[in-house]
Amino acid sequence: MQRSYCGLLLMLVCCTLTTHSLYAKWEATNGPFANAINCFYADGSTFLVGTSTGIYRSEDEGGHWLQMSEQFIGSDFCAIGKTIYAGTREHGIIISHDTGKTWEEIGTPLPEIGWISALIFHDGRLYAGTTYTNVYVSPDSGRTWTIQSDGLPEYYYNPTFAVANNRLFIGVANNFGGTEGGVFILDGNQWKPTPLRDLAGFSLSVVGSRL
């Protein structure tokens, strides 16, 4: 009889979890309101979002928002220790040392100031992916930069980074409707194509060790 009760209890728990999952839904936060939300960053209860109208900050998990910068249109965030880096569309890379309250342009800008679409810190290096131009790498947190685009298509847009199994991946979309886009993996100083090709991907995600 005890086994029957245990089995019934397990069934009830499973049904409850399944029902809860079926009726789970997204709820809107109290802003920020913009034409496009480009990127998101969280540090405890402090949230940052990069939007088409600037960078916004919340200290209560999205309950209230303040616009920290109207000048900088954030497109991606990356943290190295307590320093937060943000890629922008017109001002290169900007940094904050106070969890997004104030921002300043990075001391040594990239050789080409354009749309910084993606940022990631991997294996002691900061990588910046730009739309229409190149991928740059910095071994000293942004003080110096070199191009690392070997193996990527000549023309592409919307690069995005991810690290899986301690390997760096980049996804790019072909710029002129060609078939050279897809996901690439960094091998030494060169990007090598993976079997996932001819796709116009806009984001990469890692779950556990899976890309």
mmCIF file with all atom_site columns, all heavy atoms in Angstrom, residues 10 14 23 26 40 51 56 58 70 84 90 94 98 115 159 182:
data_model
loop_
_atom_site.group_PDB
_atom_site.id
_atom_site.type_symbol
_atom_site.label_atom_id
_atom_site.label_alt_id
_atom_site.label_comp_id
_atom_site.label_asym_id
_atom_site.label_entity_id
_atom_site.label_seq_id
_atom_site.pdbx_PDB_ins_code
_atom_site.Cartn_x
_atom_site.Cartn_y
_atom_site.Cartn_z
_atom_site.occupancy
_atom_site.B_iso_or_equiv
_atom_site.pdbx_formal_charge
_atom_site.auth_seq_id
_atom_site.auth_comp_id
_atom_site.auth_asym_id
_atom_site.auth_atom_id
_atom_site.pdbx_PDB_model_num
ATOM 1   N N   . LEU A 1 10  ? 3.858  10.699 -6.783  1.00 0.00 ? 10  LEU A N   1
ATOM 2   C CA  . LEU A 1 10  ? 4.718  11.040 -7.894  1.00 0.00 ? 10  LEU A CA  1
ATOM 3   C C   . LEU A 1 10  ? 3.906  11.504 -9.092  1.00 0.00 ? 10  LEU A C   1
ATOM 4   O O   . LEU A 1 10  ? 4.258  12.472 -9.770  1.00 0.00 ? 10  LEU A O   1
ATOM 5   C CB  . LEU A 1 10  ? 5.579  9.838  -8.269  1.00 0.00 ? 10  LEU A CB  1
ATOM 6   C CG  . LEU A 1 10  ? 6.551  10.041 -9.448  1.00 0.00 ? 10  LEU A CG  1
ATOM 7   C CD1 . LEU A 1 10  ? 7.538  11.167 -9.137  1.00 0.00 ? 10  LEU A CD1 1
ATOM 8   C CD2 . LEU A 1 10  ? 7.305  8.743  -9.728  1.00 0.00 ? 10  LEU A CD2 1
ATOM 9   N N   . CYS A 1 14  ? 4.108  15.187 -10.888 1.00 0.00 ? 14  CYS A N   1
ATOM 10  C CA  . CYS A 1 14  ? 4.379  15.314 -12.320 1.00 0.00 ? 14  CYS A CA  1
ATOM 11  C C   . CYS A 1 14  ? 3.279  16.095 -13.023 1.00 0.00 ? 14  CYS A C   1
ATOM 12  O O   . CYS A 1 14  ? 3.542  16.953 -13.864 1.00 0.00 ? 14  CYS A O   1
ATOM 13  C CB  . CYS A 1 14  ? 4.527  13.937 -12.966 1.00 0.00 ? 14  CYS A CB  1
ATOM 14  S SG  . CYS A 1 14  ? 6.043  13.071 -12.452 1.00 0.00 ? 14  CYS A SG  1
ATOM 15  N N   . TYR A 1 23  ? 1.048  26.471 -18.524 1.00 0.00 ? 23  TYR A N   1
ATOM 16  C CA  . TYR A 1 23  ? 0.447  27.776 -18.326 1.00 0.00 ? 23  TYR A CA  1
ATOM 17  C C   . TYR A 1 23  ? 1.467  28.845 -17.949 1.00 0.00 ? 23  TYR A C   1
ATOM 18  O O   . TYR A 1 23  ? 1.091  29.960 -17.617 1.00 0.00 ? 23  TYR A O   1
ATOM 19  C CB  . TYR A 1 23  ? -0.635 27.691 -17.242 1.00 0.00 ? 23  TYR A CB  1
ATOM 20  C CG  . TYR A 1 23  ? -1.869 26.956 -17.718 1.00 0.00 ? 23  TYR A CG  1
ATOM 21  C CD1 . TYR A 1 23  ? -2.036 25.594 -17.470 1.00 0.00 ? 23  TYR A CD1 1
ATOM 22  C CD2 . TYR A 1 23  ? -2.859 27.610 -18.449 1.00 0.00 ? 23  TYR A CD2 1
ATOM 23  C CE1 . TYR A 1 23  ? -3.159 24.912 -17.925 1.00 0.00 ? 23  TYR A CE1 1
ATOM 24  C CE2 . TYR A 1 23  ? -3.977 26.940 -18.910 1.00 0.00 ? 23  TYR A CE2 1
ATOM 25  C CZ  . TYR A 1 23  ? -4.121 25.584 -18.635 1.00 0.00 ? 23  TYR A CZ  1
ATOM 26  O OH  . TYR A 1 23  ? -5.228 24.918 -19.096 1.00 0.00 ? 23  TYR A OH  1
ATOM 27  N N   . TRP A 1 26  ? 5.179  34.820 -20.166 1.00 0.00 ? 26  TRP A N   1
ATOM 28  C CA  . TRP A 1 26  ? 6.042  35.963 -19.990 1.00 0.00 ? 26  TRP A CA  1
ATOM 29  C C   . TRP A 1 26  ? 5.242  37.132 -19.441 1.00 0.00 ? 26  TRP A C   1
ATOM 30  O O   . TRP A 1 26  ? 4.090  37.340 -19.831 1.00 0.00 ? 26  TRP A O   1
ATOM 31  C CB  . TRP A 1 26  ? 6.671  36.367 -21.331 1.00 0.00 ? 26  TRP A CB  1
ATOM 32  C CG  . TRP A 1 26  ? 7.626  35.360 -21.884 1.00 0.00 ? 26  TRP A CG  1
ATOM 33  C CD1 . TRP A 1 26  ? 7.344  34.346 -22.761 1.00 0.00 ? 26  TRP A CD1 1
ATOM 34  C CD2 . TRP A 1 26  ? 9.013  35.259 -21.587 1.00 0.00 ? 26  TRP A CD2 1
ATOM 35  N NE1 . TRP A 1 26  ? 8.465  33.619 -23.026 1.00 0.00 ? 26  TRP A NE1 1
ATOM 36  C CE2 . TRP A 1 26  ? 9.509  34.154 -22.331 1.00 0.00 ? 26  TRP A CE2 1
ATOM 37  C CE3 . TRP A 1 26  ? 9.887  35.981 -20.781 1.00 0.00 ? 26  TRP A CE3 1
ATOM 38  C CZ2 . TRP A 1 26  ? 10.841 33.775 -22.285 1.00 0.00 ? 26  TRP A CZ2 1
ATOM 39  C CZ3 . TRP A 1 26  ? 11.217 35.606 -20.739 1.00 0.00 ? 26  TRP A CZ3 1
ATOM 40  C CH2 . TRP A 1 26  ? 11.676 34.512 -21.484 1.00 0.00 ? 26  TRP A CH2 1
ATOM 41  N N   . PHE A 1 40  ? 21.308 42.363 -23.139 1.00 0.00 ? 40  PHE A N   1
ATOM 42  C CA  . PHE A 1 40  ? 20.885 42.310 -21.736 1.00 0.00 ? 40  PHE A CA  1
ATOM 43  C C   . PHE A 1 40  ? 22.055 41.841 -20.887 1.00 0.00 ? 40  PHE A C   1
ATOM 44  O O   . PHE A 1 40  ? 22.825 40.973 -21.298 1.00 0.00 ? 40  PHE A O   1
ATOM 45  C CB  . PHE A 1 40  ? 19.704 41.342 -21.607 1.00 0.00 ? 40  PHE A CB  1
ATOM 46  C CG  . PHE A 1 40  ? 19.174 41.198 -20.209 1.00 0.00 ? 40  PHE A CG  1
ATOM 47  C CD1 . PHE A 1 40  ? 18.196 42.062 -19.737 1.00 0.00 ? 40  PHE A CD1 1
ATOM 48  C CD2 . PHE A 1 40  ? 19.635 40.205 -19.373 1.00 0.00 ? 40  PHE A CD2 1
ATOM 49  C CE1 . PHE A 1 40  ? 17.703 41.934 -18.447 1.00 0.00 ? 40  PHE A CE1 1
ATOM 50  C CE2 . PHE A 1 40  ? 19.149 40.060 -18.082 1.00 0.00 ? 40  PHE A CE2 1
ATOM 51  C CZ  . PHE A 1 40  ? 18.184 40.933 -17.628 1.00 0.00 ? 40  PHE A CZ  1
ATOM 52  N N   . THR A 1 51  ? 19.539 49.480 -25.855 1.00 0.00 ? 51  THR A N   1
ATOM 53  C CA  . THR A 1 51  ? 18.363 49.673 -26.702 1.00 0.00 ? 51  THR A CA  1
ATOM 54  C C   . THR A 1 51  ? 18.672 50.653 -27.831 1.00 0.00 ? 51  THR A C   1
ATOM 55  O O   . THR A 1 51  ? 19.750 51.238 -27.903 1.00 0.00 ? 51  THR A O   1
ATOM 56  C CB  . THR A 1 51  ? 17.169 50.215 -25.891 1.00 0.00 ? 51  THR A CB  1
ATOM 57  O OG1 . THR A 1 51  ? 17.356 51.624 -25.656 1.00 0.00 ? 51  THR A OG1 1
ATOM 58  C CG2 . THR A 1 51  ? 17.045 49.504 -24.553 1.00 0.00 ? 51  THR A CG2 1
ATOM 59  N N   . TYR A 1 56  ? 19.889 51.477 -20.497 1.00 0.00 ? 56  TYR A N   1
ATOM 60  C CA  . TYR A 1 56  ? 19.034 51.641 -19.319 1.00 0.00 ? 56  TYR A CA  1
ATOM 61  C C   . TYR A 1 56  ? 19.527 50.720 -18.201 1.00 0.00 ? 56  TYR A C   1
ATOM 62  O O   . TYR A 1 56  ? 20.095 49.656 -18.450 1.00 0.00 ? 56  TYR A O   1
ATOM 63  C CB  . TYR A 1 56  ? 17.581 51.314 -19.650 1.00 0.00 ? 56  TYR A CB  1
ATOM 64  C CG  . TYR A 1 56  ? 16.917 52.315 -20.572 1.00 0.00 ? 56  TYR A CG  1
ATOM 65  C CD1 . TYR A 1 56  ? 17.150 52.280 -21.945 1.00 0.00 ? 56  TYR A CD1 1
ATOM 66  C CD2 . TYR A 1 56  ? 16.059 53.287 -20.069 1.00 0.00 ? 56  TYR A CD2 1
ATOM 67  C CE1 . TYR A 1 56  ? 16.559 53.198 -22.795 1.00 0.00 ? 56  TYR A CE1 1
ATOM 68  C CE2 . TYR A 1 56  ? 15.449 54.200 -20.913 1.00 0.00 ? 56  TYR A CE2 1
ATOM 69  C CZ  . TYR A 1 56  ? 15.704 54.157 -22.273 1.00 0.00 ? 56  TYR A CZ  1
ATOM 70  O OH  . TYR A 1 56  ? 15.106 55.060 -23.110 1.00 0.00 ? 56  TYR A OH  1
ATOM 71  N N   . SER A 1 58  ? 18.511 49.043 -14.188 1.00 0.00 ? 58  SER A N   1
ATOM 72  C CA  . SER A 1 58  ? 17.538 48.765 -13.132 1.00 0.00 ? 58  SER A CA  1
ATOM 73  C C   . SER A 1 58  ? 18.260 48.152 -11.942 1.00 0.00 ? 58  SER A C   1
ATOM 74  O O   . SER A 1 58  ? 19.126 47.291 -12.119 1.00 0.00 ? 58  SER A O   1
ATOM 75  C CB  . SER A 1 58  ? 16.449 47.804 -13.627 1.00 0.00 ? 58  SER A CB  1
ATOM 76  O OG  . SER A 1 58  ? 15.632 47.378 -12.541 1.00 0.00 ? 58  SER A OG  1
ATOM 77  N N   . GLU A 1 70  ? 21.866 58.252 -23.343 1.00 0.00 ? 70  GLU A N   1
ATOM 78  C CA  . GLU A 1 70  ? 21.096 58.392 -24.573 1.00 0.00 ? 70  GLU A CA  1
ATOM 79  C C   . GLU A 1 70  ? 22.014 58.413 -25.784 1.00 0.00 ? 70  GLU A C   1
ATOM 80  O O   . GLU A 1 70  ? 21.620 58.060 -26.898 1.00 0.00 ? 70  GLU A O   1
ATOM 81  C CB  . GLU A 1 70  ? 20.280 59.680 -24.525 1.00 0.00 ? 70  GLU A CB  1
ATOM 82  C CG  . GLU A 1 70  ? 19.376 59.894 -25.731 1.00 0.00 ? 70  GLU A CG  1
ATOM 83  C CD  . GLU A 1 70  ? 18.555 61.157 -25.616 1.00 0.00 ? 70  GLU A CD  1
ATOM 84  O OE1 . GLU A 1 70  ? 18.670 61.859 -24.601 1.00 0.00 ? 70  GLU A OE1 1
ATOM 85  O OE2 . GLU A 1 70  ? 17.793 61.450 -26.561 1.00 0.00 ? 70  GLU A OE2 1
ATOM 86  N N   . ILE A 1 84  ? 32.569 46.620 -17.013 1.00 0.00 ? 84  ILE A N   1
ATOM 87  C CA  . ILE A 1 84  ? 31.598 46.202 -18.023 1.00 0.00 ? 84  ILE A CA  1
ATOM 88  C C   . ILE A 1 84  ? 31.925 46.915 -19.333 1.00 0.00 ? 84  ILE A C   1
ATOM 89  O O   . ILE A 1 84  ? 32.091 48.138 -19.365 1.00 0.00 ? 84  ILE A O   1
ATOM 90  C CB  . ILE A 1 84  ? 30.161 46.530 -17.590 1.00 0.00 ? 84  ILE A CB  1
ATOM 91  C CG1 . ILE A 1 84  ? 29.836 45.842 -16.262 1.00 0.00 ? 84  ILE A CG1 1
ATOM 92  C CG2 . ILE A 1 84  ? 29.165 46.088 -18.672 1.00 0.00 ? 84  ILE A CG2 1
ATOM 93  C CD1 . ILE A 1 84  ? 28.486 46.225 -15.698 1.00 0.00 ? 84  ILE A CD1 1
ATOM 94  N N   . GLU A 1 90  ? 27.879 53.465 -32.970 1.00 0.00 ? 90  GLU A N   1
ATOM 95  C CA  . GLU A 1 90  ? 28.579 54.596 -33.554 1.00 0.00 ? 90  GLU A CA  1
ATOM 96  C C   . GLU A 1 90  ? 29.793 55.048 -32.749 1.00 0.00 ? 90  GLU A C   1
ATOM 97  O O   . GLU A 1 90  ? 30.574 55.872 -33.236 1.00 0.00 ? 90  GLU A O   1
ATOM 98  C CB  . GLU A 1 90  ? 27.619 55.783 -33.718 1.00 0.00 ? 90  GLU A CB  1
ATOM 99  C CG  . GLU A 1 90  ? 26.469 55.524 -34.689 1.00 0.00 ? 90  GLU A CG  1
ATOM 100 C CD  . GLU A 1 90  ? 25.531 56.712 -34.789 1.00 0.00 ? 90  GLU A CD  1
ATOM 101 O OE1 . GLU A 1 90  ? 25.712 57.672 -34.014 1.00 0.00 ? 90  GLU A OE1 1
ATOM 102 O OE2 . GLU A 1 90  ? 24.633 56.685 -35.644 1.00 0.00 ? 90  GLU A OE2 1
ATOM 103 N N   . ILE A 1 94  ? 32.550 51.137 -25.234 1.00 0.00 ? 94  ILE A N   1
ATOM 104 C CA  . ILE A 1 94  ? 32.532 51.990 -24.053 1.00 0.00 ? 94  ILE A CA  1
ATOM 105 C C   . ILE A 1 94  ? 32.652 51.102 -22.817 1.00 0.00 ? 94  ILE A C   1
ATOM 106 O O   . ILE A 1 94  ? 32.374 49.897 -22.874 1.00 0.00 ? 94  ILE A O   1
ATOM 107 C CB  . ILE A 1 94  ? 31.256 52.847 -23.979 1.00 0.00 ? 94  ILE A CB  1
ATOM 108 C CG1 . ILE A 1 94  ? 30.003 51.950 -23.980 1.00 0.00 ? 94  ILE A CG1 1
ATOM 109 C CG2 . ILE A 1 94  ? 31.200 53.830 -25.145 1.00 0.00 ? 94  ILE A CG2 1
ATOM 110 C CD1 . ILE A 1 94  ? 28.695 52.711 -23.821 1.00 0.00 ? 94  ILE A CD1 1
ATOM 111 N N   . ASP A 1 98  ? 31.254 51.163 -12.663 1.00 0.00 ? 98  ASP A N   1
ATOM 112 C CA  . ASP A 1 98  ? 30.305 51.247 -11.551 1.00 0.00 ? 98  ASP A CA  1
ATOM 113 C C   . ASP A 1 98  ? 28.973 50.579 -11.900 1.00 0.00 ? 98  ASP A C   1
ATOM 114 O O   . ASP A 1 98  ? 27.916 51.129 -11.667 1.00 0.00 ? 98  ASP A O   1
ATOM 115 C CB  . ASP A 1 98  ? 30.080 52.700 -11.131 1.00 0.00 ? 98  ASP A CB  1
ATOM 116 C CG  . ASP A 1 98  ? 29.738 53.612 -12.317 1.00 0.00 ? 98  ASP A CG  1
ATOM 117 O OD1 . ASP A 1 98  ? 29.421 53.078 -13.405 1.00 0.00 ? 98  ASP A OD1 1
ATOM 118 O OD2 . ASP A 1 98  ? 29.783 54.841 -12.158 1.00 0.00 ? 98  ASP A OD2 1
ATOM 119 N N   . TRP A 1 115 ? 29.888 49.620 -36.143 1.00 0.00 ? 115 TRP A N   1
ATOM 120 C CA  . TRP A 1 115 ? 28.878 48.930 -35.352 1.00 0.00 ? 115 TRP A CA  1
ATOM 121 C C   . TRP A 1 115 ? 29.525 47.724 -34.676 1.00 0.00 ? 115 TRP A C   1
ATOM 122 O O   . TRP A 1 115 ? 29.847 46.731 -35.310 1.00 0.00 ? 115 TRP A O   1
ATOM 123 C CB  . TRP A 1 115 ? 27.743 48.517 -36.267 1.00 0.00 ? 115 TRP A CB  1
ATOM 124 C CG  . TRP A 1 115 ? 26.597 47.826 -35.597 1.00 0.00 ? 115 TRP A CG  1
ATOM 125 C CD1 . TRP A 1 115 ? 26.511 47.405 -34.299 1.00 0.00 ? 115 TRP A CD1 1
ATOM 126 C CD2 . TRP A 1 115 ? 25.360 47.464 -36.205 1.00 0.00 ? 115 TRP A CD2 1
ATOM 127 N NE1 . TRP A 1 115 ? 25.310 46.808 -34.051 1.00 0.00 ? 115 TRP A NE1 1
ATOM 128 C CE2 . TRP A 1 115 ? 24.580 46.830 -35.207 1.00 0.00 ? 115 TRP A CE2 1
ATOM 129 C CE3 . TRP A 1 115 ? 24.841 47.617 -37.478 1.00 0.00 ? 115 TRP A CE3 1
ATOM 130 C CZ2 . TRP A 1 115 ? 23.306 46.339 -35.474 1.00 0.00 ? 115 TRP A CZ2 1
ATOM 131 C CZ3 . TRP A 1 115 ? 23.573 47.130 -37.735 1.00 0.00 ? 115 TRP A CZ3 1
ATOM 132 C CH2 . TRP A 1 115 ? 22.815 46.505 -36.743 1.00 0.00 ? 115 TRP A CH2 1
ATOM 133 N N   . PRO A 1 159 ? 27.585 39.435 -36.373 1.00 0.00 ? 159 PRO A N   1
ATOM 134 C CA  . PRO A 1 159 ? 28.339 38.358 -35.725 1.00 0.00 ? 159 PRO A CA  1
ATOM 135 C C   . PRO A 1 159 ? 27.886 38.156 -34.291 1.00 0.00 ? 159 PRO A C   1
ATOM 136 O O   . PRO A 1 159 ? 27.421 39.091 -33.626 1.00 0.00 ? 159 PRO A O   1
ATOM 137 C CB  . PRO A 1 159 ? 29.788 38.864 -35.777 1.00 0.00 ? 159 PRO A CB  1
ATOM 138 C CG  . PRO A 1 159 ? 29.659 40.355 -35.791 1.00 0.00 ? 159 PRO A CG  1
ATOM 139 C CD  . PRO A 1 159 ? 28.416 40.636 -36.593 1.00 0.00 ? 159 PRO A CD  1
ATOM 140 N N   . GLY A 1 182 ? 27.193 31.202 -41.464 1.00 0.00 ? 182 GLY A N   1
ATOM 141 C CA  . GLY A 1 182 ? 27.133 29.987 -40.663 1.00 0.00 ? 182 GLY A CA  1
ATOM 142 C C   . GLY A 1 182 ? 27.914 30.139 -39.383 1.00 0.00 ? 182 GLY A C   1
ATOM 143 O O   . GLY A 1 182 ? 28.178 31.248 -38.908 1.00 0.00 ? 182 GLY A O   1
#
